[in-house]
Amino acid sequence: MDRAVAKPVRRARVAVAALFLTNGALFANLLPRFPEIKAMLGLDNAGFGLAAAAFPLGAMLAGLAAGALIRRFGSARVAVAGTVLTALALACAGMAPTGLLFAAGLGVAGAMDAITDVGQNSHGLRVQKLFGRSILNSFHAVWSMGAVLGGLMGAAAAGLGIPVQLHLAVSGALFAAVSLASLRFLLPGAGEESAEPAPAEETSDGARPAQASGTASRFGGRGKYLVLLALVLVAAAGSLVEDAGNTWAALYLKEGFAAPASIAGLGFVALVGAQFVGRLVGDRLVDRFGQRLVAQAGGAFVALGMGTALLFPSLPGSLAGFAAAGFGIATLVPAAMHGADNIEGLRPGTGLTVLSWLMRISFLLSPPVVGAIADATSLRAGLWVVPLAGVMVLLLSPVLAGKKAR
């Protein structure tokens, strides 16, 4: 029980949750302002998509530096410093007078966000080990809560006509202050070794021995790489759907249905809010039905929900479609990460590291691809990548773990 856990550890759990909340809220404050920024900078859909891709590009370039920074300064300091710098970079992006400077601000913000993400997850794993049970999913649910909060703040600011520069400066200062206040309650010292996977029995070359019932064994000697590729694609599908809500939901509702700014921002809120609900119930669903069946149901939610919304376009239907997509992807990335970390024949941590790195490609490629399709045809056509991602999950779901035998 939580009461048996030392008070400093319980305080550290609240502090880590605060970090996840701020991480979700900071970038989400910017998203409902995208239509306004796009218009102010005079960007077409393709140009805006390229600018938006700077955020995941920055994350990819800086992500591998997080481990060295954590070893040098500790996960607590890295997470808090990354949060403050993310807030500053996003405020600068909102003040940018040109598309190039807007992209530069997003690139720096993405780099800092990636480092923050690794730092807060690393510290969360330290806290989880001291709790003696799984609590990491609750942190990710709090991230979704923060994203909903940030999206609502951004939509309200847009509806009230608050200048983008003032809005992002105030929201950035607020969440940076929350992050700084949490630092004193985080676990002291480095202690990052506690976040490492427990040593597994290894072969002479350091790889895990094959297990009798593993998925990789179905494909022969190279099976582990095929399974890892499939898991990367499952995670990328979830990331692509999430990015569609991040980058295009507000623009689609504004341009497609003439929705006011305060309503257009709710497309992203609907997706992330439903994702939050899915994460709250996801652990229980996975325990009962297995990763595979839950992912298949999620893929169907994405494909049918968003597909129906695009076939029969309306403002309420589109909001419902984004919500269905968010609920459908709730467990995909955690499921893929769990699978990658348990692939037979790979050294401990290798599968998870590769998957975490490669899944960011979908965040990088999705904005310019959807933007190019939108300029050639329509944004509605570009958003068909969302139901197609759901179909991909359905096709690749056999690589995920099934229900455990009792």
Side-chain angles (χ1 to χ4, degrees):
M1 294 179 63
D2 288 0
R3 293 178 183 176
V5 179
K7 191 173 182 179
V9 179
R10 285 184 273 127
R11 286 178 175 174
R13 179 182 183 179
V14 175
V16 173
L19 291 177
F20 274 83
L21 181 81
T22 60
N23 186 249
L26 277 171
F27 187 53
N29 262 276
L30 175 65
L31 301 179
R33 311 308 299 262
F34 271 177
E36 186 178 349
I37 292 173
K38 176 175 177 284
M40 286 192 306
L41 299 179
L43 299 173
D44 59 14
N45 287 316
F48 178 75
L50 286 171
F55 189 90
L57 177 61
M60 288 192 68
L61 293 176
L64 293 180
L69 290 172
I70 289 172
R71 288 189 293 272
R72 175 67 177 83
F73 300 104
S75 57
R77 292 178 181 176
V78 167
V80 171
T83 299
V84 173
L85 292 174
T86 300
L88 180 60
L90 288 173
C92 291
M95 299 175 186
T98 67
L100 185 60
L101 290 176
F102 174 63
L106 287 183
V108 175
M112 295 302 101
D113 177 80
I115 292 172
T116 301
D117 185 52
V118 177
Q120 67 188 14
N121 275 284
S122 177
H123 207 80
L125 286 168
R126 286 186 63 194
V127 175
Q128 176 174 268
K129 184 174 183 179
L130 295 174
F131 262 78
R133 62 182 176 83
S134 177
I135 59 172
L136 194 62
N137 286 324
S138 69
F139 292 140
H140 285 268
V142 172
W143 182 95
S144 296
M145 186 188 306
V148 171
L149 173 62
L152 290 173
M153 289 172 64
L160 294 171
I162 298 174
V164 175
Q165 299 87 342
L166 176 61
H167 161 219
L168 293 179
V170 171
S171 65
L174 171 64
F175 292 112
V178 172
S179 175
L180 287 168
S182 72
L183 180 59
R184 62 176 295 194
F185 300 108
L186 295 170
L187 298 176
E192 308 307 336
E193 68 279 357
S194 64
E196 295 297 326
E201 181 185 353
E202 298 181 352
T203 61
S204 58
D205 64 353
R208 290 174 180 168
Q211 301 171 19
S213 57
T215 306
S217 59
R218 305 176 193 171
F219 302 98
R222 297 182 180 178
K224 56 182 176 287
Y225 302 114
L226 294 175
V227 170
L228 180 57
L229 175 60
L231 290 169
V232 167
L233 292 175
V234 170
S239 300
L240 185 151
V241 173
E242 186 175 324
D243 180 73
N246 290 352
T247 307
W248 300 109
L251 285 169
Y252 177 63
L253 298 181
K254 185 178 186 297
E255 296 178 359
F257 307 102
S262 58
I263 300 299
L266 296 181
F268 164 75
V269 172
L271 187 147
V272 179
Q275 185 186 51
F276 168 66
V277 174
R279 284 173 170 170
L280 283 181
V281 302
D283 285 332
R284 277 174 277 181
L285 291 175
V286 167
D287 286 341
R288 182 170 182 179
F289 300 107
Q291 300 277 17
R292 185 183 308 149
L293 187 57
V294 172
Q296 289 169 343
F301 260 92
V302 174
L304 296 177
M306 199 63 192
T308 301
L310 293 171
L311 283 173
F312 307 100
S314 69
L315 181 56
S318 297
L319 289 171
F322 281 116
F327 187 80
I329 65 171
T331 67
L332 292 183
V333 172
M337 287 181 169
H338 178 269
D341 204 38
N342 290 279
I343 294 178
E344 305 164 358
L346 293 182
R347 295 172 65 91
T350 300
L352 180 58
T353 300
V354 172
L355 182 137
S356 299
W357 171 255
L358 291 179
M359 67 177 280
R360 293 185 182 275
I361 293 176
S362 62
F363 281 115
L364 178 63
L365 296 180
S366 174
V369 168
V370 174
I373 296 173
D375 280 342
T377 53
S378 67
L379 185 51
R380 178 184 165 198
L383 286 175
W384 272 100
V385 299
V386 174
L388 289 176
V391 172
M392 186 166 69
V393 171
L394 288 170
L395 293 175
L396 296 173
S397 61
V399 299
L400 297 172
K403 182 179 179 181
K404 293 181 180 179
R406 294 184 182 272

